[in-house]
């Protein structure tokens, strides 16, 4: 009690993204508590440079040699001669397992985040997991590796962070529902920007309309996922792994205000909820300090301004991606890796205006129908399924463009 913790080293993967920037904003307020040892960024080198100047990490990881060379010139120009630049997947893996860090913020988007997150798990780090795609692709393998190496997984996704806060405090990874009296998880969803759009107009929705989320400001991929509710589907899968349950123990509740971030129902009828302003700095600060609390920069929730909270059932006709994800989780095996890969290709094609919004579920559904019956017991098998689904989805996209 009252003891000031030692400075903890942290690696921020995906530092230039939406979650990465919010993470650095929280860390900026707690420089006595955390030292940023490593940063990674893929495309926004200007932003990465600014972050290097401010936080002076020991390592920075970029995509390739070309980016490394141009960043190096800038770092030298700013007198930053000691920052070591690493590249590619190996670079990301290296900075995720450094001995001088205890925490890794896993905030790379998509399948690219899996290998570095696994490296952090193998090194037994405390992993602040924003990259939900890692668990969707290889939940069982990821959880096993984390457990074997004593890595702690703390969810950053606002819903999972809320559920974690509402669950009874268990300090091991696996949650035994029966002995803890947990009945079900109520996973909230905003419904995204197209909650009220007439169904027949959905196919005309543009990327700009899809990424204009009513409550949250996020990266482009997750914003499209929110509009299609694939994001909620990925979150159902993520919750099954994090909280040791099946899709049937999870109920999706559309809650357009995004004030309740999710709930846990107990067998005695109690329902515990976590509320707050929709700002990712709250879950980030929670996970950074857990089991303590630190300020995040997020203002108080003004319930009088919110005034009212609404709830609706999720409509699978409006959000076919949600059903596809839940079915993939029930099917098990490589299905969720195939779902994730096909979704990444479809979303990218939609953002590039190559396919329409309602083509996204078609591209995914067809991959799930056509997927080979291969095992899912190794990382190699997962990456093979990922690769197959990407190239098969790409061919579907090419057909739709003609
Ligand atoms: P973003 O697009 O804003 O940022 C992504 C980051 O990953 C960037 O730093 C980018 O440089 C890096 N990156 C992209 N491709 C890469 C690659 N191939 N190799 C290495 N690095 C790469 O995304 P975001 O919104 O910050 O989301 C990050 C993750 O967090 C996603 O998995 C998302 O689902 C999850 N998440 C985000 C939010 C949110 O509010 N933004 C909320 C919950 C969960
Ligand atoms: Mg979420």
């Amino acid at each position: 009690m009252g003891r000031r913790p030692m400075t903890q080293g942290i690696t921020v993967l995906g530092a230039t993204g939406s979650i990465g920037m919010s993470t650095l904003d929280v860390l900026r307020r707690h420089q006595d508590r955390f030292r940023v040892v490593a940063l990674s960024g893929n495309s926004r080198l200007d932003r990465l440079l600014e972050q290097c100047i401010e936080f002076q990490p020991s390592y920075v990881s970029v995509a390739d040699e070309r980016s490394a060379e141009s960043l190096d010139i800038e770092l030298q120009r700013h007198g930053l001669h000691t920052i070591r630049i690493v590249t590619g997947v190996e670079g990301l893996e290296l900075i995720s397992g450094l001995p001088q860090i205890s925490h890794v913020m896993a905030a790379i988007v998509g399948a690219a985040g899996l290998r570095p997150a696994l490296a952090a798990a193998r090194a037994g780090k405390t992993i602040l997991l924003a990259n939900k795609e890692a668990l969707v692709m290889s939940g069982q393998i990821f959880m096993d590796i984390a457990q074997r190496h004593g890595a702690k997984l703390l969810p950053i996704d606002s819903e999972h962070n809320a559920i974690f806060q509402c669950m009874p405090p268990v300090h091991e990874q696996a949650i035994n529902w029966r002995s803890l009296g947990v009945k079900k998880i109520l996973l909230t969803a905003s419904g995204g920007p197209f909650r009220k759009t007439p169904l027949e107009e959905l196919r005309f929705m543009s990327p700009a309309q899809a990424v204009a989320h009513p409550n949250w400001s996020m990266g482009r991929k997750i914003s499209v996922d929110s509009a299609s509710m694939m994001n909620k589907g990925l979150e159902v899968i993520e919750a099954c792994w994090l909280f040791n349950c099946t899709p049937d123990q999870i109920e999706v509740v559309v809650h357009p205000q995004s004030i309740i971030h999710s709930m846990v129902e107990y067998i005695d009828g109690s329902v515990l909820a976590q509320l707050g302003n929709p700002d990712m700095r709250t879950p980030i600060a929670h996970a950074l300090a857990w089991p303590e609390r630190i300020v995040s920069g997020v203002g108080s929730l003004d319930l009088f301004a919110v005034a009212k909270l609404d709830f609706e059932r999720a409509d699978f006709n409006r959000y076919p991606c949600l059903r596809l994800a839940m079915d993939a989780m029930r099917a098990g095996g490589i299905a969720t890796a195939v779902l994730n890969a096909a979704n990444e290709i479809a979303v990218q094609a939609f953002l590039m205006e190559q396919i329409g919004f309602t083509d996204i579920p078609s591209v995914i559904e067809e991959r799930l129908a056509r997927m080979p019956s291969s095992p899912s017991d190794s990382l190699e098998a997962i990456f093979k399924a990922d690769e197959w689904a990407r190239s098969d989805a790409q061919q579907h996209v090419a057909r739709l463009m003609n």
Side-chain angles (χ1 to χ4, degrees):
M1 287 296 282
R3 191 169 56 88
R4 193 112 164 271
M6 278 180 355
T7 309
Q8 294 174 307
I10 182 166
T11 285
V12 182
L13 300 171
T16 54
S18 166
I19 293 286
M21 300 269 286
S22 294
T23 302
L24 291 178
D25 188 75
V26 178
L27 291 172
R28 185 176 286 131
R29 298 160 199 271
H30 301 284
Q31 307 213 17
D32 53 335
R33 187 170 179 133
F34 296 100
R35 160 157 157 69
V36 177
V37 173
L39 295 169
S40 93
N42 207 45
S43 47
R44 300 280 314 260
L45 286 187
D46 51 340
R47 192 174 274 176
L48 194 59
L49 174 67
E50 280 170 28
Q51 295 175 341
C52 286
I53 294 168
E54 180 179 354
F55 290 95
Q56 310 219 346
S58 304
Y59 292 81
V60 59
S61 179
V62 292
D64 49 31
E65 285 304 323
R66 237 184 66 194
S67 308
E69 276 166 32
S70 45
L71 182 63
D72 189 41
I73 293 170
E74 290 302 319
L75 289 176
Q76 297 303 331
R77 201 206 305 276
H78 287 85
L80 297 168
H81 306 297
T82 59
I83 302 181
R84 186 167 155 210
I85 306 177
V86 294
T87 60
V89 180
E90 298 75 28
L92 292 171
E93 287 180 335
L94 178 108
I95 63 169
S96 303
L98 291 170
Q100 62 269 50
I101 59 167
S102 52
H103 290 62
V104 174
M105 165 55 79
I108 290 173
V109 61
L114 176 56
R115 284 187 191 276
L118 283 171
R122 284 196 197 92
K125 304 300 184 194
T126 296
I127 305 171
L128 315 188
L129 191 70
N131 177 248
K132 62 191 88 187
E133 294 91 345
L135 282 181
V136 171
M137 288 177 74
S138 63
Q140 187 70 60
I141 296 172
F142 196 106
M143 296 306 286
D144 288 349
I145 290 177
Q147 188 168 18
R148 198 167 335 126
H149 298 273
K152 178 85 199 160
L153 277 184
L154 295 172
I156 293 299
D157 215 336
S158 57
E159 295 78 3
H160 305 73
N161 186 270
I163 296 161
F164 182 88
Q165 294 196 47
C166 296
M167 281 283 182
V170 280
H171 294 279
E172 74 276 17
Q173 217 80 255
I175 288 166
N176 181 340
W177 285 54
R178 194 172 302 188
S179 72
L180 295 170
V182 175
K183 189 168 178 189
K184 69 178 174 193
I185 286 172
L186 299 159
L187 185 70
T188 55
S190 69
F194 305 148
R195 188 171 59 91
K196 296 268 188 210
T197 307
L199 288 181
E200 62 280 8
E201 286 175 26
L202 281 179
R203 62 200 185 95
F204 303 117
M205 293 301 114
S206 69
Q209 288 169 304
V211 301
H213 197 278
N215 308 331
W216 296 94
S217 142
M218 311 180 284
R220 281 160 66 78
K221 192 253 175 187
I222 184 177
S223 297
V224 175
D225 285 348
S226 298
S228 70
M229 264 223 203
M230 176 53 89
N231 183 50
K232 213 46 54 181
L234 301 179
E235 289 183 358
V236 168
I237 300 169
E238 182 186 10
C240 288
W241 292 116
L242 283 172
F243 304 112
N244 193 25
C245 65
T246 66
D248 304 308
Q249 289 168 300
I250 300 173
E251 188 167 1
V252 174
V253 180
V254 177
H255 163 47
Q257 292 91 355
S258 300
I259 294 299
I260 296 180
H261 299 306
S262 279
M263 298 168 263
V264 175
E265 181 179 334
Y266 288 82
I267 51 175
D268 61 4
S270 299
V271 177
L272 301 194
Q274 187 259 0
L275 288 74
N277 288 321
D279 186 322
M280 290 307 292
R281 291 176 300 174
T282 294
I284 290 167
H286 169 267
L288 276 171
W290 183 85
E292 296 173 21
R293 296 273 178 175
I294 55 175
V295 297
S296 63
V298 178
S300 290
L301 175 62
D302 182 350
L303 280 175
F304 305 107
V306 175
K308 129 185 165 64
L309 301 175
D310 293 305
F311 306 98
E312 297 164 10
R313 256 176 234 290
D315 173 3
F316 286 144
N317 287 323
R318 178 173 295 279
Y319 304 113
C321 287
L322 176 60
R323 180 182 52 78
L324 290 172
M326 294 178 83
D327 287 349
M329 184 64 197
R330 290 191 186 99
I334 59 167
T336 56
V338 166
L339 171 100
N340 178 67
N343 181 56
E344 285 191 30
I345 296 297
V347 169
Q348 194 182 34
F350 167 69
L351 284 170
M352 285 157 52
E353 301 190 60
Q354 296 171 337
I355 65 172
F357 183 70
T358 50
D359 292 328
I360 295 173
S362 315
V363 170
I364 301 162
E365 184 158 29
E366 208 174 293
R367 303 298 78 65
L368 287 170
R370 285 164 44 83
M371 71 183 171
S373 60
S374 14
S376 62
D377 51 356
S378 67
L379 277 173
E380 292 68 43
I382 299 290
F383 283 116
K384 212 171 134 199
D386 175 270
E387 217 170 288
W388 171 83
R390 276 170 206 273
S391 78
D392 209 55
Q394 209 72 67
Q395 288 171 31
H396 190 164
V397 167
R399 283 199 302 279
L400 288 170
M401 286 168 69
N402 288 327

